Amino acid sequence: MMSLFKTLALTALCSALPVGGAMAADMITVPTSTPVEMPVAEGMAYDWSGFYAGVYGVGQFSGADGDQLGLGISAGVNAQFDFYLLGAEVAVHGLTGGVGDTSYGQILGRAGLVVTDDVVVYAAGGYGIDLGAPQEDDVLVGGGVELSITDSVSVDARYLHGFPITGDNAKDQFTIGAKYHF
């Protein structure tokens, strides 16, 4: 037992020696006499701030209602702070299939990161309500990715999971759509 402990201690000591020497070295710097200038970009980066409206296709899947497909409309607002994005959105979509036709409304908050000039990855959360019978409402949690195509048009893909508040019908929702930014 003691020889195993000595072997482990010696191994740990030997492996730490090269790391300790590297950590003690000072960073090499080169003095300059003029400030470094940043390159000037040819064009402005896409600005995600402002209002938008869009259309989307939706697939909603649940145990009680079955598989439903539909179309929807959305409207929202974004605010971009450096590479952070905050936003809010309202949407409503009509669904068909499964146990019948219905409509579903939702209010979402979005928070994300601007990954490149034209791509945003975000988390979303909010409230959803089935506007048909029986009335069901859900807490929605998920996320998505949005890509700007032009200065005023973007495409979006999103996944949301609905945790039931009223009823016991959990939902999985996938959307793909396009947005016009004002």
Side-chain angles (χ1 to χ4, degrees), residues 84-178:
Y84 298 108
L85 182 79
L86 295 175
E89 179 178 296
V90 295
V92 66
H93 51 261
L95 297 166
T96 188
V99 296
D101 299 339
T102 188
S103 56
Y104 192 81
Q106 55 196 33
I107 300 171
L108 296 173
R110 301 184 338 153
L113 297 173
V114 179
V115 179
T116 66
D117 288 343
D118 56 354
V119 176
V120 171
V121 176
Y122 63 89
Y127 175 76
I129 185 167
D130 191 339
L131 302 172
Q135 182 180 355
E136 297 176 347
D137 54 350
D138 307 293
V139 172
L140 301 172
V141 178
V145 62
E146 190 168 348
L147 169 70
S148 69
I149 303 298
T150 68
D151 287 342
S152 56
V153 176
S154 67
V155 292
D156 180 71
R158 176 185 303 159
Y159 166 77
L160 294 172
H161 181 77
F163 296 95
I165 297 172
T166 304
D168 58 354
N169 187 21
K171 298 169 180 66
D172 289 305
Q173 183 185 103
F174 298 92
T175 62
I176 296 177

Side-chain angles (χ1 to χ4, degrees), residues 31-123:
T32 60
S33 61
T34 60
V36 177
E37 298 209 12
M38 298 298 292
V40 178
E42 291 293 322
M44 290 291 294
Y46 187 79
D47 184 13
W48 292 94
S49 296
F51 293 95
Y52 64 86
V55 296
Y56 60 91
V58 61
Q60 186 164 291
F61 311 99
S62 67
D65 293 339
D67 298 347
Q68 297 176 303
L69 299 174
L71 295 173
I73 57 172
S74 63
V77 63
N78 288 324
Q80 182 178 343
F81 307 98
D82 292 325
F83 57 89
Y84 298 108
L85 182 79
L86 295 175
E89 179 178 296
V90 295
V92 66
H93 51 261
L95 297 166
T96 188
V99 296
D101 299 339
T102 188
S103 56
Y104 192 81
Q106 55 196 33
I107 300 171
L108 296 173
R110 301 184 338 153
L113 297 173
V114 179
V115 179
T116 66
D117 288 343
D118 56 354
V119 176
V120 171
V121 176
Y122 63 89

